[in-house]
Amino acid sequence: MTEGTTAGAGGWPGPADLLDEPARETVDAVAGGDARGPLAVVGSPFAGRRAVLDHLADRLDATRVHVGPAGPDPGGGTGGMEADDPDTGVDLRVRTGPDADEPGRETADAIADGGATVVSGCHHLYTRRVGGFEPLDTCLDAVAGADSTVVTGWNRYAWTYLAAVRDLDRTVPERVEVGPLDAAALSELLLARYDDIPTFERDDDLPLFTRRQVSVAGVDLWLPALDRAALAARRGGDPDPRDVVFERLAAVSEGNVGVATTLWERARGSEVRPSDVPDVDQPGLDRETAFCLRVVLASERAHRADLAAVVGDDTERALGRLRRNDLVTVDGDWVALSPAAVPTAVAETERERIL
């Protein structure tokens, strides 16, 4: 792969930036016909799955299928790149939601038609309730029986849940995970989008600690982490404030390009200080609200009726709390995860040990 940091559509990162070396080798093998798959492309919300899926669809000359809710939809998980027109480059749009007509069968039929197929949004094919896995099972039967290459795209938190309760990782054993961008890559990417570069100023009272996400025994935890740039500033090391800003942005967003973009847009002005990049919020949600948030985190976008079927009678109260904390947006019957809310959503739901 030859894509660079700004090689994707609209200046978004390309697959070479989003995958580590083993993952790039796997993608190249599938794209070159050396491995048939099936292959899963897994990533956090807004982290860049679409860039990898689009790359594979182009290389394989594949039928491109997107599974997702009706109405406005940020699509494959990169962020604003999809929001403009989620149907761009899609051959078949499979609608999900309470009024959808057999989305699992529609997706399975597309896979069975022959030829390489790339399916994004597979995490929309289930709900966490009795009978809610039937569309997913129908699709996975088609994936397992396909004679040609099938590539599927998944939300990371849905994948973790489904691997635990439905052995998804056995059905699709080959997977690559979209990774984070470091501070230097985020700086190059975000500053290249604007003609006017802000002035970066120091923060002498910048807190010494932020929080970083670590994985322990397969569980994501947010733990205090020393901000080395802030420590250097305290010791008189006089680091470049621009470096401090983007180190902090990378730490808070965990290198998630969609999250970092949203946080940067909030911080950007004629002057930018490290303290303009907010730390991870800690609203201290009750367990019912955290569970509702986890369902939205794993789906990225959900219908109120589907949420009510999973969460129960507390759904509307939980949504009210999430809206007041700017963790979700509600547009009619549709509930969507806010990009800037991803770090908080992960921290709050992992604190409650919600799968």
Side-chain angles (χ1 to χ4, degrees):
M1 284 183 268
T2 60
E3 289 89 344
T5 299
T6 58
W12 287 81
D17 306 289
L18 297 167
L19 302 173
D20 61 20
E21 185 173 352
R24 289 196 299 270
E25 291 175 354
T26 298
V27 167
D28 283 340
V30 172
D34 296 328
R36 196 183 69 189
L39 173 70
V41 177
V42 181
S44 296
F46 314 109
R49 292 190 306 270
R50 178 172 172 174
V52 179
L53 294 169
D54 283 350
H55 170 79
L56 281 162
D58 289 343
R59 288 281 303 274
L60 292 167
D61 192 23
T63 298
R64 186 75 156 84
V65 181
H66 178 68
V67 182
D73 183 359
T78 306
M81 185 173 76
E82 284 85 357
D84 294 335
D85 186 356
D87 289 327
T88 299
V90 172
D91 299 304
L92 174 65
R93 182 69 182 265
V94 176
R95 303 291 182 178
T96 59
D99 299 325
D101 184 17
E102 298 189 0
R105 172 51 53 197
E106 193 175 355
T107 307
D109 288 345
I111 293 170
D113 279 345
T117 311
V118 173
V119 186
S120 58
C122 292
H123 48 276
H124 290 295
L125 287 171
Y126 82 100
T127 52
R128 295 172 61 149
R129 58 181 176 81
V130 175
F133 296 94
E134 291 179 7
L136 176 66
D137 290 340
T138 300
C139 174
L140 291 179
D141 286 344
V143 170
D147 292 327
S148 55
T149 301
V150 180
V151 178
T152 53
W154 304 83
N155 172 292
R156 178 188 180 194
Y157 303 100
W159 176 276
T160 300
Y161 170 76
L162 292 169
V165 304
R166 307 294 289 187
D167 290 332
L168 177 59
D169 51 341
R170 294 187 181 182
T171 304
V172 191
E174 192 75 65
R175 82 176 187 269
V176 297
E177 186 147 352
V178 174
L181 299 184
D182 62 19
L186 287 174
S187 174
E188 178 185 347
L189 171 75
L190 295 173
L191 294 181
R193 295 178 180 170
Y194 307 97
D195 294 329
D196 54 327
I197 303 299
T199 300
F200 292 91
E201 301 289 348
R202 289 185 56 176
D203 255 330
D204 293 330
D205 57 348
L206 185 67
L208 287 178
F209 290 91
T210 60
R211 294 204 291 168
R212 289 183 184 270
Q213 180 180 315
V214 298
S215 182
V216 179
V219 176
D220 292 329
L221 300 174
W222 283 83
L223 301 176
L226 179 65
D227 188 326
R228 295 183 180 181
L231 180 62
R234 292 266 186 108
R235 291 177 171 175
D238 198 26
D240 187 331
R242 167 173 159 169
D243 294 340
V244 181
V245 166
F246 285 101
E247 286 286 351
R248 184 172 177 82
L249 186 64
V252 173
S253 69
E254 277 300 300
N256 182 316
V257 61
V259 175
T261 296
T262 300
L263 295 177
W264 171 250
E265 288 293 340
R266 293 183 180 182
R268 190 172 68 92
S270 59
E271 295 182 353
V272 178
R273 289 176 168 78
S275 60
D276 292 329
V277 179
D279 205 345
V280 180
D281 289 335
Q282 302 179 59
L285 303 176
D286 60 82
R287 186 168 179 81
E288 291 76 14
T289 304
F291 176 67
C292 183
L293 179 58
R294 184 70 175 199
V295 175
V296 179
L297 175 66
S299 64
E300 301 170 21
R301 182 175 170 82
H303 195 278
R304 281 178 184 266
D306 287 334
L307 282 176
V310 176
V311 179
D313 295 337
D314 288 334
T315 302
E316 291 305 318
R317 289 191 291 272
L319 287 178
R321 298 183 191 108
L322 296 177
R323 291 178 68 177
R324 287 192 295 274
N325 284 283
D326 296 323
L327 298 173
V328 303
T329 59
V330 179
D331 181 3
D333 287 330
W334 295 101
V335 180
L337 181 69
S338 301
V342 172
T344 297
V346 174
E348 289 289 310
T349 58
E350 298 291 358
R351 177 176 60 83
E352 292 287 344
R353 298 186 178 182
I354 299 172
L355 183 61

